[in-house]
Amino acid sequence: MKRLIPVLKNDGVETDLIMLIRTILATSKEIAFRVGQGELAGVLGSTLDENIQGEVQKKLDVIANQLLKDMLLEEDSVAAIASEEEDHAVPGNPDGRYIVAFDPLDGSSNIDVNGQIGTIFTIYAKRDDVPHDSDEQFVQAGIKQLCAGYVLYGPSTLLVMSTGGPTRCYTLDLTHGGFLLTTPEMTVAHESKEFAVNMANYRYWHETIQTYFDNVLYASQAFEKSSMRWSAAMVGDIHRILSRGGTFLYPEDKRAGNDNGKIRLLYEANPLSMLIENAGGQASARGQRILTIEPHSLHQRVAVVMGSSSAVAFFNRTVYES
Ligand SMILES: O=P(O)(O)OC[C@H]1O[C@](O)(COP(=O)(O)O)[C@@H](O)[C@@H]1O
Ligand SMILES: [Mg+2]
Ligand SMILES: [Mg+2]
């Protein structure tokens, strides 16, 4: 089995970007260890604090965020970081070449029930036209990502990553602690009847989206034999889709503040869209390719549909073109 670094070198990835990726992965191994220890490491349960999105922070959200922040801000190549758990960009080395954004712990509602959780990350080149430590650094379209990935803390600890080429999967080898290449090229099946959505939100959806799911659930023969999965961790649902196809949806709805659903563009939708697209799938928001969206703020949300291209195209035709 090939090790991570030779694969990245072979992919033509620059040395200091490889070093930065190594730092993110070293931190994720520390997070994986704490996740595995669970209550023994005192990482379960909530804090009394809320993040800028008004979500109560879990202890592990805060621990994972602090570990990543500490390790990344030690890196000379990092000009700034942004995180789901930080209100604004956090300054690093003004001469750093890169900026890093991350969701330190995705699937927070699964932490206390031993469910699937993960860390999502994305790396961009630093902008030279705005201050190195400003939120504007992160106002870059997803198409400009240099590297995107996630580490999934499940039965195995897996790394799924793209540096612009194929979406590759690596497994953490517990015998020597390194990531080994286990799937050189992940591909998203073009067709799939498996979908992931929080169906409990049906009542809040706009009529066209309700009609789409009426067809899926009972009204249309085309959707017979459909199957639903919802892991409550986007990283887990996307991993299943990269492994066997399907569609992930978190649509907009009528509730206040939900005009763009729940998923954040910078450190959830953009990195996962890059992985899906580089595996042959599609990722869109209200019919627009997610990677072409010009962001306007760090924590902005987008209504998401991504995965098997035929299902994504059908959803967009039904909901936004009819
Ligand atoms: O509570 P819901 O509606 O099931 O939403 C679950 C979604 O929220 C998230 O947990 C949000 O991410 P965080 O856990 O990082 O806040 C996604 O991973 C998941 O897809
Ligand atoms: Mg998340
Ligand atoms: Mg999170």
Side-chain angles (χ1 to χ4, degrees):
M1 292 271 181
K2 289 188 184 148
R3 292 172 178 242
L4 174 78
I5 306 296
V7 172
L8 293 178
K9 284 185 176 154
N10 197 41
D11 285 345
V13 179
E14 290 184 32
T15 306
D16 53 5
L17 184 53
I18 292 179
M19 303 304 283
L20 177 52
I21 292 169
R22 278 182 66 161
T23 299
I24 294 172
L25 299 182
T27 316
S28 72
K29 282 192 252 178
E30 175 62 26
I31 298 170
F33 175 74
R34 305 226 187 163
V35 167
Q37 289 293 94
E39 197 47 39
L40 302 172
V43 299
L44 303 187
S46 297
T47 69
L48 299 174
D49 303 319
E50 283 186 3
N51 63 19
I52 191 168
Q53 346 230 351
E55 296 163 339
V56 173
Q57 291 177 310
K58 296 280 186 179
K59 286 186 194 167
L60 202 52
D61 286 325
V62 175
I63 291 166
N65 185 58
Q66 197 61 46
L67 286 168
L68 282 158
K69 231 170 97 178
D70 292 348
M71 295 281 275
L72 285 168
L73 296 176
E74 294 256 318
E75 288 289 321
D76 288 343
S77 65
V78 175
I81 62 115
S83 161
E84 177 191 1
E85 307 304 339
E86 298 288 333
D87 296 3
H88 295 289
V90 182
N93 173 10
D95 304 322
R97 288 181 62 189
Y98 304 111
I99 56 170
V100 184
F102 52 88
D103 177 352
L105 216 281
D106 182 61
S108 303
S109 67
N110 283 347
I111 294 170
D112 297 343
V113 295
N114 207 26
Q116 267 187 328
I117 49 180
T119 294
I120 309 172
F121 61 91
T122 175
I123 305 172
Y124 290 82
K126 180 185 76 176
R127 290 177 58 177
D128 295 320
D129 58 336
V130 294
H132 83 281
D133 56 354
S134 63
D135 287 3
E136 281 69 38
Q137 274 294 338
F138 295 88
V139 176
Q140 302 195 46
I143 206 84
K144 293 199 175 139
Q145 294 175 99
L146 300 174
C147 172
Y150 60 77
V151 178
L152 180 60
Y153 311 113
S156 309
T157 298
L158 300 178
L159 162 70
V160 172
M161 186 170 69
S162 171
T163 51
T167 297
R168 304 189 192 282
C169 183
Y170 306 80
T171 302
L172 181 62
D173 182 340
L174 299 177
T175 60
H176 70 76
F179 283 98
L180 298 179
L181 183 65
T182 37
T183 311
E185 278 198 47
M186 301 189 92
T187 51
V188 178
H190 177 63
E191 304 268 354
S192 172
K193 287 189 177 174
E194 194 164 64
F195 63 94
V197 73
N198 185 341
M199 198 55 89
N201 294 336
Y202 178 96
R203 67 174 66 212
Y204 306 116
W205 290 333
H206 301 286
E207 212 176 311
T208 51
I209 299 175
Q210 290 179 332
T211 306
Y212 173 83
F213 281 103
D214 293 344
N215 285 325
V216 171
L217 294 177
Y218 62 86
S220 154
Q221 283 203 319
F223 285 95
E224 263 178 350
K225 299 203 172 65
S226 288
S227 174
M228 186 185 141
R229 295 283 183 275
W230 185 244
S231 79
M234 187 175 180
V235 72
D237 286 313
I238 296 302
H239 189 71
R240 188 187 56 253
I241 289 168
L242 285 166
S243 306
R244 67 177 191 212
T247 321
F248 174 91
L249 307 102
Y250 212 113
E252 68 273 24
D253 69 53
K254 296 176 204 155
R255 286 172 291 185
N258 268 35
D259 319 8
N260 290 303
K262 183 177 182 180
I263 303 302
R264 283 57 59 108
L265 177 64
L266 176 61
Y267 39 78
E268 292 173 324
N270 267 334
L272 299 175
S273 296
M274 181 172 167
L275 299 173
I276 289 280
E277 282 204 7
N278 290 353
Q282 268 187 23
S284 66
R286 294 174 190 264
Q288 178 183 359
R289 190 180 164 212
I290 288 177
L291 294 179
T292 62
I293 295 175
E294 279 305 324
H296 52 71
S297 60
L298 275 193
H299 303 287
Q300 77 181 80
R301 299 173 179 215
V302 280
V304 168
V305 52
M306 62 173 78
S308 294
S309 43
S310 73
V312 172
F314 184 81
F315 177 86
N316 287 332
R317 269 200 313 278
T318 313
V319 173
Y320 300 114
E321 293 165 21
S322 60

